[in-house]
Amino acid sequence: MLAAEKAYPRGAAIQANKDFSLDRVSQKYDSEALSLYWYAQSAIGMPLLRYLAFYQVVEFYYPIYSELAAQKKVGNILKDPCFNSHSTKDIAKVFSIVKAASSSRSELSQLEATIKECVDPNVLREWLTSDSKREEYFRSKNAVKLSTFKIFSNAEDDDLLSQMWQRFYNIRCRIVHTKGAEGDLEVLHPQSKEIKYLEREIELAKFLAHKVLIASSKPLEAV
């Protein structure tokens, strides 16, 4: 379904004299996240709302991916033949992992964990360079008007992802009037002059929401 949406964007006319068919749906998507995605798609003329809705698609998966490393560590302890469920010491090991994971979960760190699990830096780089104007925008002076975090397609993989999620989060903070990593941010509202540059940011937000939805989907046979 999401693949078909990409191939045939909303509003694209399909000629009546041509056959049109959709591939068989093979993946199941979380209904809440998918609802937010389509809501963002329908919010034409409301750029701030569109951006936030796409952000919320990604945010929906924070609990899953931010706890993934801790889940793996706990799983390894429980699989160890030496683990004793009656041992206070062994139980304390599990508890310390869970506690450490919970205490370190800032919103930005949760976004980082989600992006790292769901977005391939090479795919992101390909998306940026597939449109020369898009690639130029994210390192331009106009881009800085929305966020000081530029995105350079020639950056190393880890740096590229970091630039992207920092920018994604930074603009979200401006919209919802909260503090970002760099302190107080100027509020981004419907009358802000920078709004005219937000369309490129919405493209990025949609790209990320799309990738996270697909990465988080499950085969229908497994549901």
Side-chain angles (χ1 to χ4, degrees):
M1 178 168 57
L2 286 175
E5 189 266 337
K6 182 179 179 181
Y8 298 94
R10 288 193 167 194
I14 301 173
Q15 296 181 10
N17 62 341
K18 289 186 177 181
D19 292 333
F20 173 67
S21 61
L22 291 173
D23 293 336
R24 177 178 175 273
V25 176
S26 59
Q27 298 293 113
K28 178 176 174 58
Y29 302 90
D30 292 292
S31 59
E32 299 93 335
L34 192 60
S35 177
L36 286 166
Y37 183 87
W38 291 126
Y39 179 65
Q41 288 286 73
S42 67
I44 306 300
M46 295 180 283
L48 298 178
L49 192 60
R50 291 194 76 194
Y51 190 92
L52 280 181
F54 281 130
Y55 182 91
Q56 287 175 320
V57 173
V58 180
E59 185 179 38
F60 178 83
Y61 292 99
Y62 283 2
I64 295 175
Y65 294 110
S66 64
E67 296 175 357
L68 198 58
Q71 291 172 5
K72 290 179 180 178
K73 290 180 181 179
V74 171
N76 289 335
I77 289 177
L78 297 179
K79 287 187 292 185
D80 190 328
C82 295
F83 176 77
N84 181 358
S85 60
H86 300 290
S87 167
T88 303
K89 183 179 179 180
D90 286 357
I91 296 298
K93 289 180 182 178
V94 175
F95 181 75
S96 64
I97 292 173
V98 174
K99 185 178 179 181
S102 299
S103 62
S104 63
R105 285 189 302 174
S106 67
E107 185 163 1
L108 185 57
S109 70
Q110 292 181 79
L111 172 59
E112 176 183 353
T114 303
I115 293 300
K116 282 184 174 181
E117 286 292 332
C118 300
V119 180
D120 184 329
N122 291 317
V123 175
L124 172 60
R125 186 177 290 108
E126 182 181 350
W127 178 80
L128 286 168
T129 57
S130 65
D131 183 332
S132 59
K133 290 184 178 179
R134 174 193 292 154
E135 182 184 17
E136 181 181 351
Y137 164 76
F138 281 108
R139 48 186 169 82
S140 70
K141 292 181 179 179
N142 288 335
V144 175
K145 294 176 182 178
L146 282 167
S147 172
T148 56
F149 294 98
K150 295 181 180 181
I151 303 177
F152 297 92
S153 60
N154 61 350
E156 295 294 328
D157 289 356
D158 288 344
D159 291 336
L160 177 61
L161 290 180
S162 178
Q163 292 165 9
M164 179 269 294
W165 75 60
Q166 292 273 11
R167 183 176 186 84
F168 186 42
Y169 178 72
N170 197 230
I171 294 174
R172 173 263 181 194
C173 287
R174 289 193 62 185
I175 295 174
V176 298
H177 314 168
T178 59
K179 292 183 177 181
E182 301 300 317
D184 287 321
L185 297 172
E186 185 178 348
V187 173
L188 192 62
H189 54 78
Q191 301 305 316
S192 297
K193 294 180 180 179
E194 307 97 300
I195 286 292
K196 60 185 176 182
Y197 304 118
L198 199 61
E199 192 56 40
R200 288 294 186 186
E201 308 297 341
I202 292 173
E203 289 178 11
L204 174 61
K206 178 181 176 180
F207 169 83
L208 297 176
H210 193 265
K211 293 303 178 186
V212 172
L213 269 173
I214 291 176
S216 306
S217 65
K218 300 177 181 63
L220 283 175
E221 295 78 6
V223 177

